Amino acid sequence: MLSGLSLIAFTVPAQMSEELRAYGANLVVLPDGSQGLTDEQLSIADDAVGAAALNRAPYQYTNLLYNQQALPVMGTLLDDALAVRSYWEIDGALPTGADQILVGENVAELYRFDVGETVGLTAPTTAEGAARQLTVTGILRTGGAEDDLVVMSLDTLKEFTGGVTEYNIIEYSANADGTTLTALADAVNARDAGMEAEVVRRISQTESGIAQTLQTLIWIVSVVICLLTMISISATLNAIVSERAREIGLKKALGALSRDVMGEFMGESILLGLIGGLAGVAAGIWIANFISVRAFAVQLDVNWWVVPITLVFSVILSLAGSLAPVRRISRIRPVDVLGGE
Amino acid sequence: MTQNSTAAAHPDLLGEPIYSVRDVSRRYGELAALDRVSLTIARGEWLSIVGPSGSGKSTLMNILGCMDSPTDGIVLLEGERLDKMGEPELAKVRRQKIGLIFQQFHLVQHLTACENVMLAQYYHSLPDEKEALEALERVGMAERATHLPRELSGGEQQRVCVARALINHPDVILADEPTGNLDEVNERVVIDFFHQLHDDGTTLIVVTHDSEVAAQGQRQIILEHGRIVRETTDLSNTPTKGKPVRGVEAR
């Protein structure tokens, strides 16, 4: 059981870290001033974050007009954005052409847009009547701010902004814990390139919080299991010592010292601990894999160092559990257990 | 020739003493299991200790067998003070000088007859299977050497117990009701065996209820309420070999 819990404690948090990447970016880069970020700054940020970035997406926000009403629009690299924000649900499909868009759930409801419909959008500076017709390929459901946006590719957005691309935010999904993320943000800021990197505390803290909670829980369960195991070993050996009191008394009557008989029992404990440990390791790996697959949908990556550690631990537990019963052996007197008046 | 006495023996009138017991008491709270018992046992002697239940005979045997210590008095075995010894020293005396035979046999149930004999060797020196088999052969149990105690009759188990008591060539054999659980045939086998040991010069101390078994010894002491109330000696049981023992009338 302990070997199984150890495997879960050390393997699952790493797996969960990857799972949590699905809940969005954990590092964002914003412009230092009122100006947006350029492609050059994007490259500098990419360079600073380096290989830690699993996914990255830049976003540009603006307002376009629909029937003379302002409609918030987000331009992005759609595939990259979907990789970073994998929680997006799209009724329909991602736009593949320059004349296609996604509309947020709330926008679709407000303006009664549906998949396949054409929406005429104009830039605020464009003369009335020159609206560009774009086809809705999907309704975006996120439960977040995207539900109030029209989402399109950066190339499509360029047609409204006169070819100007200025990112308002760059999102990174990095494979790193809180400390490493802070170091990555510092690395970006150190470039002094007119941008500011921030760690998304919500995600990084949730990740470390869950991992810490899981590990703390497993440690508590492990300690309880250790105590219960020791009590169980102690009770079993106590019963064995009582059951074999005559044999112990006989050995002493034949000239054995208390320490000789105690040594024999300790030897038996070590042997039982080793056998139990081996059986426990096999069962533990199977149970850990079962829990891992069922609860976390992850095939367990078995760390084989768990085997010797579990065996050593089993022996230590057996010895610790047998200390009290074995001490009783010294109090068994042949005269008390071999009959007499 | 039989002589009766009312109390303990005079040590100076016996042969070379192996045990010397002087004013030994064993008390359990207010109860005195033994009350100022004095006794000398000569080397090579066959002493029978008899008396009703609760008379203190097993207590006396436990003290002589180094399994218990007196609360008062002096016990000497080959000149060494047993009453002053701690448990480790008593254990050493047990394994080197004493062979024990019990009424309940006390064989380890998961060991074979041979292994039970070797158990005594294990704590004495080194287990030697050949020697253990020879000991079993001596008691007519060689063919049952690989049998577990539960596969043996009571008489056979007692013979294994005798082989175990003999394996380390002890100076003294202490037997507590050795025939108590045996039928007549097996009782005869064990008694005959005791005669052989006695003839070989082994000191035998036998606690028994059975007057016939007690009569096999050269001397009987009768205990009542923790005291020696009578002592009888029968020199006709003097062994053909070994040192003869002279009976004594005590105070």
Side-chain angles (χ1 to χ4, degrees):
Chain A
M1 184 59 89
L2 287 174
S3 59
L5 286 173
S6 303
L7 281 170
I8 290 170
F10 290 104
T11 308
V12 169
Q15 301 283 358
M16 281 183 65
S17 175
E18 285 178 26
E19 297 282 323
L20 278 167
R21 297 282 73 76
Y23 293 92
N26 51 8
L27 182 70
V28 295
V29 178
L30 301 162
D32 211 359
S34 57
Q35 293 291 311
L37 297 166
T38 62
D39 283 326
E40 189 186 348
Q41 286 171 306
L42 177 63
S43 298
I44 292 170
D46 283 349
D47 186 46
V49 176
L54 295 171
N55 294 296
R56 180 270 279 153
Y59 304 91
Q60 182 176 7
Y61 294 92
T62 189
N63 281 318
L64 297 179
L65 295 177
Y66 171 69
N67 289 340
Q68 299 305 313
Q69 292 182 50
L71 198 61
V73 173
M74 179 177 82
T76 185
L77 301 171
L78 287 165
D79 288 331
D80 292 349
L82 189 60
V84 172
R85 301 182 179 189
S86 50
Y87 55 88
W88 277 7
E89 280 184 26
I90 299 167
D91 285 352
L94 264 185
T96 51
D99 56 350
Q100 295 177 335
I101 55 168
L102 290 174
V103 291
E105 186 180 19
N106 294 340
V107 176
E109 194 178 324
L110 184 65
Y111 296 105
R112 300 184 187 283
F113 294 154
D114 212 344
V115 176
E117 279 186 26
T118 305
V119 177
L121 296 176
T122 55
T125 52
T126 309
E128 195 177 340
R132 181 165 160 64
Q133 299 300 314
L134 302 169
T135 306
V136 177
T137 61
I139 308 295
L140 182 61
R141 300 179 202 281
T142 66
E146 297 97 323
D147 291 355
D148 296 314
L149 299 172
V150 169
V151 178
M152 59 183 67
S153 71
L154 286 167
D155 289 339
T156 307
L157 189 59
K158 267 184 192 173
E159 294 178 19
F160 295 96
T161 59
V164 178
T165 300
E166 286 186 335
Y167 308 119
N168 299 91
I169 186 169
I170 306 166
E171 288 185 346
Y172 289 94
S173 178
N175 188 18
D177 59 14
T179 313
T180 315
L181 282 172
T182 305
L184 289 174
D186 291 345
V188 174
N189 295 335
R191 299 296 175 103
D192 201 18
M195 54 189 172
E196 192 180 351
E198 288 177 10
V199 175
V200 182
R201 301 279 171 203
R202 185 165 48 92
I203 296 294
S204 64
Q205 283 179 354
T206 300
E207 181 187 329
S208 60
I210 290 174
Q212 211 164 20
T213 305
L214 183 69
Q215 285 186 334
T216 306
L217 189 70
I218 285 175
W219 278 118
I220 290 169
V221 172
S222 300
V223 168
V224 170
I225 287 174
C226 284
L227 285 174
L228 290 175
T229 307
M230 273 179 57
I231 291 168
S232 168
I233 290 170
S234 197
T236 306
L237 274 175
N238 249 322
I240 290 173
V241 168
S242 299
E243 213 171 81
R244 291 169 64 180
R246 282 197 169 191
E247 181 187 326
I248 293 164
L250 172 74
K251 287 177 174 176
K252 287 188 172 187
L254 293 176
L257 295 171
S258 289
R259 65 165 181 264
D260 296 333
V261 188
M262 286 160 85
E264 288 172 23
F265 268 77
M266 294 297 251
E268 284 180 32
S269 276
I270 290 171
L271 193 64
L272 287 174
L274 280 172
I275 294 169
L278 275 173
V281 166
I285 290 173
W286 187 85
I287 289 168
N289 195 48
F290 180 80
I291 291 172
S292 193
V293 169
R294 290 294 172 104
F296 304 101
V298 172
Q299 193 72 29
L300 195 77
D301 183 16
V302 177
N303 293 303
W304 292 106
W305 49 257
V306 166
V307 177
I309 286 177
T310 305
L311 289 181
V312 170
F313 213 70
S314 303
V315 170
I316 290 171
L317 267 182
S318 301
L319 287 176
S322 62
L323 281 180
V326 162
R327 280 182 63 186
R328 273 186 58 216
I329 289 173
S330 65
R331 295 196 291 271
I332 292 175
R333 300 191 323 145
V335 70
D336 295 331
V337 292
L338 298 181
E341 291 170 23
Chain B
M1 183 181 81
T2 302
Q3 291 177 296
N4 292 340
S5 65
T6 55
H10 288 292
D12 53 329
L13 297 179
L14 288 167
E16 181 198 345
I18 189 163
Y19 274 108
S20 233
V21 177
R22 295 178 203 158
D23 289 323
V24 160
S25 298
R26 181 67 172 97
R27 297 179 193 284
Y28 299 97
E30 292 294 306
L31 178 74
L34 279 182
D35 190 7
R36 287 180 294 144
V37 168
S38 293
L39 171 74
T40 298
I41 303 165
R43 189 180 296 280
E45 180 180 357
W46 180 339
L47 175 73
S48 300
I49 302 173
V50 293
S53 292
S55 60
K57 46 188 197 304
S58 288
T59 305
L60 178 58
M61 197 191 110
N62 289 334
I63 289 172
L64 295 175
C66 300
M67 292 189 287
D68 200 2
S69 294
T71 40
D72 291 302
I74 296 169
V75 184
L76 294 165
L77 172 58
E78 295 183 326
E80 286 186 287
R81 287 280 296 268
L82 299 183
D83 55 287
K84 293 283 184 191
M85 288 182 181
E87 180 48 37
E89 291 86 8
L90 289 172
K92 188 179 173 189
V93 174
R94 283 199 298 270
R95 69 172 165 261
Q96 290 185 340
K97 297 185 177 178
I98 295 170
L100 293 164
I101 297 168
F102 306 96
Q103 180 180 5
Q104 303 293 338
F105 321 131
H106 294 310
L107 298 173
V108 180
Q109 293 301 308
H110 56 86
L111 299 182
T112 64
C114 187
E115 287 165 343
N116 265 286
V117 176
M118 287 162 71
L119 189 66
Q121 289 180 308
Y122 175 73
Y123 295 115
H124 178 267
S125 47
L126 280 174
D128 181 342
E129 192 174 2
K130 187 168 168 272
E131 207 179 326
L133 285 170
E134 282 169 8
L136 283 171
E137 194 169 359
R138 202 173 161 196
V139 295
M141 286 293 294
E143 288 179 7
R144 311 281 274 168
T146 56
H147 287 241
L148 292 170
R150 65 169 178 272
E151 297 165 339
L152 304 174
S153 69
E156 288 173 327
Q157 288 189 57
Q158 192 60 297
R159 280 191 269 166
V160 175
C161 193
V162 170
R164 183 179 64 191
L166 295 174
I167 190 72
N168 295 322
H169 310 291
D171 296 329
V172 186
I173 295 276
L174 284 154
D176 190 1
E177 301 282 5
T179 58
N181 278 341
L182 304 183
D183 58 25
E184 255 181 58
V185 176
N186 280 303
E187 179 179 311
R188 193 67 252 165
V189 170
V190 170
I191 296 292
D192 286 348
F193 205 76
F194 281 3
H195 277 292
Q196 282 181 40
L197 290 173
H198 188 220
D199 285 352
D200 290 342
T202 305
T203 307
L204 281 167
I205 301 170
V206 180
V207 171
T208 182
H209 272 104
D210 189 324
S211 56
E212 268 189 48
V213 176
Q216 302 298 317
Q218 294 166 291
R219 187 157 60 117
Q220 293 182 46
I221 57 169
I222 296 103
L223 285 169
E224 272 180 29
H225 303 299
R227 290 179 170 225
I228 297 175
V229 293
R230 198 153 54 94
E231 183 176 321
T232 62
T233 307
D234 186 354
L235 290 178
S236 65
N237 289 333
T238 299
T240 50
K241 288 189 279 183
K243 194 178 179 71
V245 177
R246 187 154 57 90
V248 63
E249 187 174 326
R251 66 184 154 82

